Amino acid sequence: MFAVERRDDIAILSMRHGPANAMDVDFCVGLTMVARELAVSPVRAIVLTGEGKIFGAGVDLPRLLEGGIDYIRKFLPALDEMLETLFFCDKPLIAAVNGHAIAGGCLLACSADRRFMVAGKARIGVPELRVGVPFPTVAMEIMRARTGPSFYEEVVLGGATYAAQEARQRGLIDVVVEEGELLTEAICAADSLAAIRPDIFSFSKQQARQPVRAAIETHTRLNAARIQELWESAEAQEAIRGFVARTLKK
């Protein structure tokens, strides 16, 4: 499901969960575990990437439909834990977005400190509302922190996906690179951040992201029950079935 390669003291964490890195419970739990292991390992920084033309395709919707309410009640906490683990990782985390990064794939990219995306046909965005489900609190606060303020509601409420240059304008990524240069540029950025004294980098990163952590804590208390209710509703299940029929089964 995941592979770790070391380039000197930089870890390249490659996601290899099926053809699209679709997120199910096993993916979320597995990525959380690997990220935590790397966070306490001797590596100085982590580069997160995928393979082929897809970085991440978001939630495994057919698996969600198959599992029903019991599965949703396992999946949402696992998704939250994975995103928090990545977003608040003490070590530098660089996203090398090798292809499409849709919904959860976009959130994975946005959890990184620096985000590089390959030029070309790849698209990135968060179409959750068009799928028929609301953003979990952690996902919403990561998007709020990452998206340019003037584009936040467009990106979140509009549910569009963007080519690399459009995504850069909206704050979803930082740098657009040619395909052959993606990993080299990401490793270079990882090496640059890793040159900062680790305890100073970690402390400063947590300081910078404290407002996000506080917002997650506050909004989880306010919205958790409603989010769960909406994901479990018959209307959401029907909307997901329609979305799968229109897109994934073409």
Side-chain angles (χ1 to χ4, degrees):
M1 192 179 299
F2 306 100
V4 178
E5 175 190 353
R6 285 175 171 79
R7 302 278 182 93
D8 296 324
D9 47 9
I10 305 297
I12 302 171
L13 171 53
S14 297
M15 300 176 289
R16 299 178 177 179
H17 186 44
N21 288 320
M23 294 179 180
D24 55 17
V25 170
D26 290 340
F27 177 95
C28 295
V29 171
L31 185 52
T32 299
M33 181 177 66
V34 174
R36 287 177 174 171
E37 289 173 353
L38 290 174
V40 297
S41 76
V43 302
R44 297 186 302 137
I46 305 163
V47 174
L48 179 67
T49 193
E51 294 186 317
K53 300 299 182 182
I54 299 179
F55 177 78
V59 177
D60 187 337
L61 296 175
R63 179 70 186 88
L64 193 79
L65 291 172
E66 177 188 340
I69 290 176
D70 288 343
Y71 180 83
I72 291 171
R73 291 177 179 175
K74 295 176 183 177
F75 175 74
L76 289 179
L79 175 66
D80 283 349
E81 189 171 9
M82 176 188 70
L83 293 174
E84 284 195 82
T85 297
L86 294 173
F87 189 75
F88 295 108
C89 178
D90 283 329
K91 291 184 177 177
L93 176 64
I94 311 299
V97 182
N98 55 287
H100 298 302
I102 308 301
C106 178
L107 287 162
L108 288 176
C110 287
S111 297
D113 304 321
R114 293 280 288 165
R115 294 148 289 155
F116 293 77
M117 184 171 177
V118 66
K121 296 181 179 179
R123 302 187 72 82
I124 184 170
V126 281
E128 272 78 351
L129 271 62
R130 295 189 182 276
V131 174
V133 292
F135 282 81
T137 295
V138 177
M140 181 67 87
E141 295 309 321
I142 288 175
M143 292 308 301
R144 193 192 311 275
R146 283 298 186 224
T147 312
S150 60
F151 291 107
Y152 172 65
E153 290 195 3
E154 173 203 312
V155 170
V156 170
L157 300 181
T161 61
Y162 304 96
Q165 289 292 355
E166 297 174 308
R168 183 177 179 276
Q169 293 170 358
R170 287 159 176 80
L172 298 177
I173 61 170
D174 298 305
V175 183
V176 181
V177 299
E178 295 302 318
E179 184 173 1
E181 301 173 0
L182 178 64
L183 207 53
T184 299
E185 293 291 336
I187 291 172
C188 183
D191 193 58
S192 176
L193 289 181
I196 300 169
R197 204 174 93 189
D199 57 340
I200 298 299
F201 179 86
S202 172
F203 178 68
S204 300
K205 181 174 177 178
Q206 300 310 319
Q207 280 185 303
R209 298 193 178 175
Q210 181 55 40
V212 183
R213 191 183 295 278
I216 288 171
E217 293 173 356
T218 298
H219 295 150
T220 295
R221 290 194 299 271
L222 292 174
N223 299 324
R226 182 57 173 156
I227 289 169
Q228 194 79 31
E229 177 187 352
L230 289 169
W231 273 76
E232 294 177 7
S233 68
E235 292 84 356
Q237 302 305 295
E238 187 60 31
I240 293 171
R241 286 189 188 92
F243 184 85
V244 169
R246 292 192 306 273
T247 58
L248 302 188
K249 295 186 177 180
K250 285 183 179 179

